[in-house]
């Protein structure tokens, strides 16, 4: 069993944090915490030391400064730590102010967005991750259970420490990207089509059976925080898993029908349109689109810019298609 002197826990997302704190306390760790996290842990029966009591410095500036202190920066200079009476922090459990969910709210005031930019959290995470050989740092509640098990069994490996550190820098990079992207829109305006700089962040949706060709590997990623209708934000309702080419053709088909205000249908085969038509109803538009080149339409991808009603669905079943997106 690993020996843990001290654990620092300060989270906005409190998923699983009580169980994590209880597990660390059971391993002999002194739990340091702040604000709402400390309150939640105390209410759950966890003995907590306030960070302010540990550092000797009170929270100031309405709580904006509470963990930026030499005793909390998880330094690796042992002699200086001993000289200044700074004890080790062996585990850091931190996640950040909810900037993403804040700016996702309709008409979020700029002042509220700025208030939800975390300062101390990224500093703690980065310093702990840099010193991951000596500090276990957790940013994802999904890791709490396996880390507790590794601590209990004494099986914390360098590989685990490095993986957790990697996740920290991925997390802070994404966080900074979200903030930069938000501020870019505030400065440049959403009407600017090609801004001078643009911060993008993607997440993997799934690993595909193969890429564009059977001998290639492939994965499907989507842009974070995209709002407009897109294949990447779609929900698969029925059928087998999508392939690389399914996604590619579906995207082309959907983007084509999005160009039209009227009821429209597009049929794509090998990333090329083999039919596109407007109609009074979805089935009318589909029949016209298919009639453009019915041979190529066989086994194609169909996109509607309207819901698929029963009449359209019945007509679709008269031939073989790969994907229907609506």
């Amino acid at each position: 069993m690993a020996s843990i002197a001290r654990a620092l826990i300060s989270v906005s997302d409190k998923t699983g944090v009580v169980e994590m704190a209880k597990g660390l306390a059971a391993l002999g760790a002194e739990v340091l915490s702040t604000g709402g996290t400390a309150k939640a842990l105390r209410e759950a029966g966890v003995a907590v030391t306030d960070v302010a009591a540990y550092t000797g410095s009170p929270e100031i500036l309405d709580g904006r400064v509470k963990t930026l202190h030499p005793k909390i920066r998880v330094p690796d200079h042992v002699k200086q730590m001993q000289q200044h009476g700074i004890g080790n922090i062996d585990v850091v459990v931190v996640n950040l102010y909810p900037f993403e969910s804040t700016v996702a709210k309709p008409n979020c005031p700029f002042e509220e967005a700025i208030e939800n930019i975390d300062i101390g959290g990224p500093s703690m995470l980065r310093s702990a991750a840099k010193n991951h050989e000596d500090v276990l740092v957790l940013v994802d509640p999904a890791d709490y259970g396996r880390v507790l098990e590794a601590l209990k069994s004494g099986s914390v490996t360098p590989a685990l420490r490095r993986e957790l550190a990697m996740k920290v820098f991925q997390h802070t990079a994404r966080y900074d990207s979200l903030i930069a992207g938000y501020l870019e829109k505030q400065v440049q305006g959403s009407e600017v089509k090609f801004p001078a700089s643009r911060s993008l962040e993607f997440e993997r949706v799934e690993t595909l059976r193969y890429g564009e060709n059977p001998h290639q590997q492939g994965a499907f990623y989507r842009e974070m925080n995209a709002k407009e209708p897109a294949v990447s934000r779609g929900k698969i309702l029925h059928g087998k898993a999508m392939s690389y080419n399914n996604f590619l053709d579906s995207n082309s088909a959907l983007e084509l029908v999005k160009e039209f205000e009227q009821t429209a249908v597009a049929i794509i085969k090998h990333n090329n349109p083999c039919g596109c038509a407007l109609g009074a109803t979805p089935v009318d538009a589909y029949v016209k689109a298919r009639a453009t080149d019915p041979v190529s339409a066989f086994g194609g991808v169909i996109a509607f810019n309207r819901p698929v009603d029963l009449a359209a669905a019945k007509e679709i079943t008269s031939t073989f298609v790969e994907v229907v997106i609506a």
Side-chain angles (χ1 to χ4, degrees), residues 173-184:
R174 177 172 180 269
Y175 195 75
D176 286 340
S177 178
L178 290 168
I179 296 168
Y182 172 79
L183 291 175
E184 284 165 12

Side-chain angles (χ1 to χ4, degrees), residues 207-219:
T207 301
L208 304 175
R209 299 192 303 275
Y210 54 86
E212 189 167 9
N213 297 296
H215 68 283
Q216 296 171 318
Q217 293 182 310

Side-chain angles (χ1 to χ4, degrees), residues 81-104:
M81 289 171 63
Q82 292 173 342
Q83 181 181 355
H84 295 282
I86 300 173
N88 290 332
I89 293 178
D90 304 295
V91 179
V92 171
V93 183
V94 170
N95 54 54
L96 307 176
Y97 289 177
F99 180 84
E100 182 176 4
S101 59
T102 298
V103 299

Side-chain angles (χ1 to χ4, degrees), residues 138-160:
L138 294 97
V139 73
D140 183 356
D143 291 321
Y144 293 173
R146 66 178 181 134
V147 169
L148 277 176
E149 287 303 314
L151 287 167
K152 290 175 183 177
S153 63
S155 59
V156 176
T157 63
L160 175 60

Side-chain angles (χ1 to χ4, degrees), residues 47-315:
V48 176
T49 301
D50 287 315
V51 163
Y54 175 69
T55 63
S57 297
E59 291 186 14
I60 59 174
L61 304 179
D62 294 327
R64 290 175 178 83
V65 178
K66 51 193 174 186
T67 53
L68 292 177
H69 189 279
K71 285 190 173 183
I72 300 299
R73 291 303 295 277
V74 204
D76 58 357
H77 300 86
V78 176
K79 288 185 179 180
Q80 290 185 33
M81 289 171 63
Q82 292 173 342
Q83 181 181 355
H84 295 282
I86 300 173
N88 290 332
I89 293 178
D90 304 295
V91 179
V92 171
V93 183
V94 170
N95 54 54
L96 307 176
Y97 289 177
F99 180 84
E100 182 176 4
S101 59
T102 298
V103 299
K105 294 186 293 187
N107 304 314
C108 172
F110 180 75
E111 295 75 15
E112 184 179 355
I114 296 301
E115 196 63 29
N116 277 276
I117 297 177
D118 205 323
I119 302 301
S123 297
M124 286 188 292
L125 285 172
R126 291 173 64 86
S127 59
K130 179 178 179 179
N131 293 300
H132 63 270
E133 291 183 358
D134 301 303
V135 183
L136 273 170
V137 55
L138 294 97
V139 73
D140 183 356
D143 291 321
Y144 293 173
R146 66 178 181 134
V147 169
L148 277 176
E149 287 303 314
L151 287 167
K152 290 175 183 177
S153 63
S155 59
V156 176
T157 63
L160 175 60
R161 291 178 176 274
R162 194 168 298 142
E163 179 192 347
L164 295 173
M166 173 197 71
K167 294 185 74 169
V168 164
F169 285 110
Q170 288 176 334
H171 186 73
T172 56
R174 177 172 180 269
Y175 195 75
D176 286 340
S177 178
L178 290 168
I179 296 168
Y182 172 79
L183 291 175
E184 284 165 12
K185 290 180 181 178
Q186 303 304 308
V187 173
Q188 299 166 346
S190 57
E191 71 280 357
V192 177
K193 191 169 185 179
F194 300 112
S197 62
R198 170 164 286 170
S199 300
L200 299 175
E201 186 72 21
F202 295 84
E203 65 175 346
R204 190 179 67 204
V205 178
E206 60 181 287
T207 301
L208 304 175
R209 299 192 303 275
Y210 54 86
E212 189 167 9
N213 297 296
H215 68 283
Q216 296 171 318
Q217 293 182 310
F220 182 50
Y221 288 79
R222 66 177 160 217
E223 184 180 352
M224 306 291 292
N225 297 318
K227 298 294 190 298
E228 66 176 296
V231 172
S232 63
R233 299 178 63 235
K235 180 180 179 182
I236 296 178
L237 300 178
H238 174 73
K240 64 183 180 181
M242 296 272 281
S243 70
Y244 174 97
N245 291 309
N246 287 157
F247 279 120
L248 198 64
D249 287 349
S250 297
N251 181 71
S252 296
L254 180 61
E255 293 303 316
L256 178 51
V257 295
K258 281 165 58 179
E259 294 289 327
F260 300 99
E261 293 290 336
Q262 308 99 311
T263 301
V265 171
I267 305 176
I268 299 291
K269 188 75 167 287
H270 302 310
N271 211 30
N272 289 300
C274 57
C276 186
L278 306 178
T281 63
V283 66
D284 180 37
Y286 170 60
V287 170
K288 290 177 180 177
R290 187 181 61 195
T292 307
D293 185 352
V295 174
S296 295
F298 183 86
V301 169
I302 309 169
F304 292 75
N305 67 354
R306 297 288 192 276
V308 175
D309 58 19
L310 181 60
K314 285 183 175 179
E315 188 62 38

